[in-house]
Amino acid sequence: MSQNDPNKATGAIRFDKAGITYPNGVVGMKDLDLEITPGEFVVIVGSSGAGKSTLLRAVNGLNALTSGSVEIDGERVATHSNRELRRMRKRIGMIFQDFRLVKRLSVMSNVLIGRLAHVPGWRAMLNFWPAADREIAIDALKRVGIADKAWVKASQLSGGQQQRVGIARALAQQPAIILADEPVASLDPVTTHQIMRDLVRINRELGITTLVNLHFLDLAREYGDRIIGLRFGELVYDGSAKTVTDEDFRNIYGRDFTEDDLLEEEV
Amino acid sequence: MNVPARPPRNWMLLAGVTGLLVAMTVWSAYGIGFSLTEILCNIAGGTRLITESWPPDFGFLPRLAEPMLETVFIAVIGTVVGGILAIPVAVLAARNITPNKLTWFADRNFMNILRTLPDLFWAMLFATAVGFGPVAGALALTVFTVAVISKLWSESLESIDMGLPETIRAVGGTWFQMIQFGAIPQAVQHYVSYALYAFELNIRASVVLGLVGAGGIGMILETQRANFEYERVTMIILAVLVAVLIIEEISESIRKRLA
Ligand SMILES: Nc1ncnc2c1ncn2[C@@H]1O[C@H](COP(=O)(O)OP(=O)(O)OP(=O)(O)O)[C@@H](O)[C@H]1O
Ligand SMILES: [Mg+2]
């Protein structure tokens, strides 16, 4: 039970000949072999439809594999047991492009959603959260610097602040892994850098394995440790962000890249 | 770029549809024996009824307070109990969040049966079980409310953004938590709005149920009519009108505030 051993680093992900063919016949992932070690910060790039989201969503079982396997800390991600799936998802945080907050509820209530799977069902249902879980939620908010907004309605926050709530919700899960699907795609450049720095800092401070989908190449280069390139659902690049070349990017995208692929407008 | 020429109207279709509507109306009127001449001949009886009904008997007003309150109570009970029961019925009937196809199918049909049968039928049914009176009326309106709210609200639920429910799943939440935290918050406003609408319908339905013996103001209306006390009947109708207007005004302002 590596998951319950506090001394052992958790958050290892391993894809083994993994494939996903959608019901409509589209191949979202093809023969993927990939190993990610605990605490890594991995950026996934690829053009639209390359299978970035498919890969992330395979880790927490939102997309079920149709072949091969994906394991977390040696344990296979369940495909049919809901209970098993919930137990694994409990420790996997996810951050979305569109934040996905309950807009009419307070920031605090939104962050507590990260504790849903950690407390008895009746407590969540009656909004009767244990003090310890509230404490965890507050800590998560502090870590992204918006503890002062705890009682503000989520809809009243700016985009950057909403994404921080999204990160805090993931942190409240006390996750071994964080999956971020284009977390900065709906933010302005300044906020984009702040959020990326937050994600890197959290990865360093807490050692949470972090997978981030990005479509800006300069961001991938700046913030990634390791870059994974996908094309038509296949792994076409896997290497250090420090040594990735423009030629590599051309290969991943299957074309010359343009200003649209960069956050800062210079090629 | 040039805007393409406007496509020609389909005059044939227009004429066909109009002709069909006219034919159907004439046929229906003939079918129920609707005849203008007969109505004109009977108009004298109608005018007599109107003169006898005026002026309203204001002295009767104090005796209306209690039955009026009973009518409102019946509507309140029907709306609250029916409103609560409508929640699971609506959730299970919403294609995007229902746990499985079988549940969806069963609940859909259940909902359709409720909706097909009129409130009067339910009143009769409950009357045979608990006797004629306010309780049978409240029960009938409960069923009626479930039918109204569940149908409308399940459609609201079907149009929510599924991102949030998926997020609840992603944090390891159960189906129930997905409903509670992911789906319902997106459709609360609609729910309140439909519940208020159901309440307005229930006030009117409660009056009608009174006519057949479910108590309240409708029952008084029926006894006075049967005794040819038309000035009192007018008074009752005026009172009901004012009450309905007030309630609709309140519910309208609540709905506006929500939007
Ligand atoms: N639920 C689905 N059903 C059918 N096809 C899907 C589904 N989800 C994704 N696909 C298809 O699978 C392929 C990979 O999609 P995916 O969303 O993983 O790409 P992506 O790299 O995240 O793209 P983007 O940058 O546009 O988000 C695409 O061709 C997409 O159309
Ligand atoms: Mg995507």
Side-chain angles (χ1 to χ4, degrees):
Chain A
M1 288 300 263
S2 57
Q3 240 188 348
N4 298 329
D5 180 356
N7 297 320
K8 195 167 174 206
T10 57
I13 305 170
R14 188 189 148 95
F15 285 90
D16 195 3
K17 296 205 177 48
I20 291 181
T21 306
Y22 287 108
N24 61 1
V26 174
V27 176
M29 182 190 291
K30 200 172 159 189
D31 265 339
L32 182 71
D33 285 314
L34 181 64
E35 197 145 356
I36 293 167
T37 54
E40 261 191 292
F41 192 96
V42 182
V43 170
I44 301 159
V45 295
S47 50
S48 183
K52 304 183 291 294
S53 301
T54 303
L55 192 157
L56 282 200
R57 297 163 56 90
V59 175
N60 62 2
L62 284 181
N63 287 345
L65 297 188
T66 49
S67 63
S69 69
V70 52
E71 289 174 359
I72 293 169
D73 296 324
E75 202 180 345
R76 204 169 160 151
V77 175
T79 44
H80 26 256
S81 164
N82 263 324
R83 183 177 292 268
E84 286 291 289
L85 208 48
R86 283 208 308 275
R87 191 173 53 77
M88 297 191 97
R89 285 173 175 171
K90 196 168 138 174
R91 302 290 312 281
I92 305 175
M94 193 159 191
I95 299 163
F96 303 86
Q97 171 178 353
D98 53 352
F99 321 137
R100 298 199 180 172
L101 306 180
V102 187
K103 297 230 171 52
R104 52 187 306 116
L105 294 185
S106 70
V107 164
M108 186 66 182
S109 299
N110 272 285
V111 177
L112 281 170
I113 282 179
R115 300 302 299 164
L116 274 184
H118 295 253
V119 301
W122 66 271
R123 281 187 168 271
M125 187 174 128
L126 303 176
N127 202 20
F128 199 72
W129 299 89
D133 294 87
R134 292 184 171 276
E135 204 57 45
I136 290 168
I138 301 260
D139 280 348
L141 281 173
K142 281 186 185 149
R143 208 169 275 279
V144 289
I146 50 165
D148 56 319
K149 303 280 186 212
W151 305 109
V152 175
K153 232 170 118 169
S155 58
Q156 287 170 356
L157 300 181
S158 70
Q161 289 169 330
Q162 289 194 32
Q163 193 57 296
R164 287 207 168 93
V165 178
I167 297 174
R169 178 178 60 199
L171 286 178
Q173 289 176 253
Q174 301 185 310
I177 299 169
I178 284 184
L179 309 168
D181 196 354
E182 312 227 9
V184 294
S186 36
L187 301 175
D188 62 76
V190 174
T191 324
T192 290
H193 283 295
Q194 288 169 352
I195 293 290
M196 286 309 300
R197 275 198 295 271
D198 280 348
L199 287 174
V200 171
R201 178 174 50 80
I202 285 163
N203 166 259
R204 302 275 145 81
E205 287 173 1
L206 302 174
I208 303 170
T209 309
T210 308
L211 272 62
V212 187
N213 284 353
L214 288 176
H215 65 256
F216 288 125
L217 301 180
D218 46 350
L219 283 184
R221 220 177 220 149
E222 187 173 348
Y223 295 102
D225 283 342
R226 176 176 173 191
I227 290 184
I228 283 174
L230 296 177
R231 192 173 159 191
F232 300 129
E234 279 185 281
L235 187 82
V236 293
Y237 182 85
D238 184 357
S240 160
K242 306 290 164 290
T243 56
V244 65
T245 63
D246 289 356
E247 182 56 36
D248 293 327
F249 279 135
R250 265 190 285 275
N251 187 37
I252 295 169
Y253 280 63
R255 60 170 164 80
D256 270 333
F257 55 89
T258 64
E259 281 165 35
D260 289 343
D261 301 321
L262 300 176
L263 179 64
E264 322 293 355
E265 314 252 314
E266 49 195 67
V267 175
Chain B
M1 216 194 295
N2 279 327
V3 178
R6 186 177 170 179
R9 280 191 195 207
N10 194 340
W11 289 111
M12 294 286 278
L13 185 71
L14 202 62
V17 170
T18 313
L20 191 72
L21 283 176
V22 170
M24 267 165 54
T25 312
V26 171
W27 184 35
S28 308
Y30 184 75
I32 62 167
F34 186 94
S35 121
L36 270 181
T37 41
E38 212 168 298
I39 288 174
L40 288 173
C41 291
N42 283 333
I43 217 157
T47 37
R48 206 188 61 234
L49 188 66
I50 287 173
T51 49
E52 272 180 34
S53 309
W54 203 259
D57 179 2
F58 281 95
F60 194 54
L61 194 55
R63 282 170 55 190
L64 294 184
E66 207 175 309
M68 182 68 92
L69 210 58
E70 192 172 57
T71 295
V72 175
F73 285 160
I74 293 172
V76 167
I77 294 171
T79 311
V80 171
V81 179
I84 293 169
L85 295 179
I87 295 174
V89 178
V91 166
L92 298 180
R95 212 180 304 247
N96 51 340
I97 51 178
T98 193
N100 57 59
K101 250 212 145 99
L102 192 68
T103 315
W104 175 81
F105 186 74
D107 190 50
R108 257 293 130 134
N109 284 311
F110 172 68
M111 223 167 71
N112 284 338
I113 292 169
L114 290 191
R115 228 152 32 90
T116 308
L117 300 168
D119 43 357
L120 267 177
F121 168 84
W122 295 111
M124 303 294 182
L125 194 72
F126 287 119
T128 56
V130 297
F132 270 108
V135 177
L139 287 174
L141 290 190
T142 299
V143 176
F144 178 62
T145 305
V146 172
V148 170
I149 297 184
S150 62
K151 169 73 178 157
L152 291 169
W153 200 46
S154 73
E155 271 161 27
S156 303
L157 286 168
E158 281 184 344
S159 66
I160 60 168
D161 173 25
M162 285 305 284
L164 197 52
E166 186 186 76
T167 306
I168 305 298
R169 287 293 207 193
V171 301
T174 58
W175 176 83
F176 189 88
Q177 291 172 332
M178 172 193 83
I179 299 297
Q180 185 185 355
F181 297 95
I184 290 181
Q186 294 187 61
V188 180
Q189 285 188 5
H190 286 125
Y191 176 81
V192 175
S193 172
Y194 295 147
L196 289 168
Y197 171 62
F199 183 57
E200 289 173 30
L201 294 181
N202 280 344
I203 288 281
R204 264 166 282 172
S206 175
V207 175
V208 174
L209 293 184
L211 294 178
V212 299
I217 196 91
M219 201 141 95
I220 307 288
L221 181 63
E222 175 55 19
T223 32
Q224 299 308 320
R225 190 200 61 78
N227 293 333
F228 308 108
E229 297 274 10
Y230 290 123
E231 292 178 356
R232 289 182 168 183
V233 168
T234 314
M235 189 61 246
I236 296 171
I237 291 172
L238 275 180
V240 170
L241 185 72
V242 170
V244 167
L245 283 179
I246 291 173
I247 284 163
E248 287 189 352
E249 204 56 44
I250 295 172
S251 126
E252 184 73 15
S253 75
I254 296 178
R255 270 194 268 179
K256 275 222 186 83
R257 209 153 302 173
L258 278 175

